[in-house]
Amino acid sequence: MWACTPDGAWRADGKYGQFSVVLPRHRAAVTITAHHEGAANDILRAVWDELLPLLPVR
């Protein structure tokens, strides 16, 4: 388990871009099953930049 950049968020990392991200402030969880071996960080960056702004804070 790893702490994430957004306050209170954490994640579990798998191999080749598989992630489970828990966002308690948004009452949401995101599970990603990907095979993006060379750039797994791009997947997380997309969650922070594209998905997170769309989620309401609760």
Side-chain angles (χ1 to χ4, degrees), residues 13-19 32-37 39-41 43:
D13 296 4
K15 193 171 184 179
Y16 302 131
Q18 297 176 22
F19 298 101
I32 301 158
T33 57
H35 185 86
H36 196 6
E37 185 175 348
N41 286 335
I43 296 168

Side-chain angles (χ1 to χ4, degrees), residues 4-53:
C4 295
T5 302
D7 188 37
W10 54 274
R11 72 177 197 269
D13 296 4
K15 193 171 184 179
Y16 302 131
Q18 297 176 22
F19 298 101
S20 289
V21 180
V22 178
L23 304 158
R25 290 184 56 215
H26 301 279
R27 295 181 64 196
V30 179
T31 299
I32 301 158
T33 57
H35 185 86
H36 196 6
E37 185 175 348
N41 286 335
D42 291 346
I43 296 168
L44 282 177
R45 192 171 300 110
V47 171
W48 307 143
D49 294 346
E50 304 295 331
L51 182 62
L52 191 61

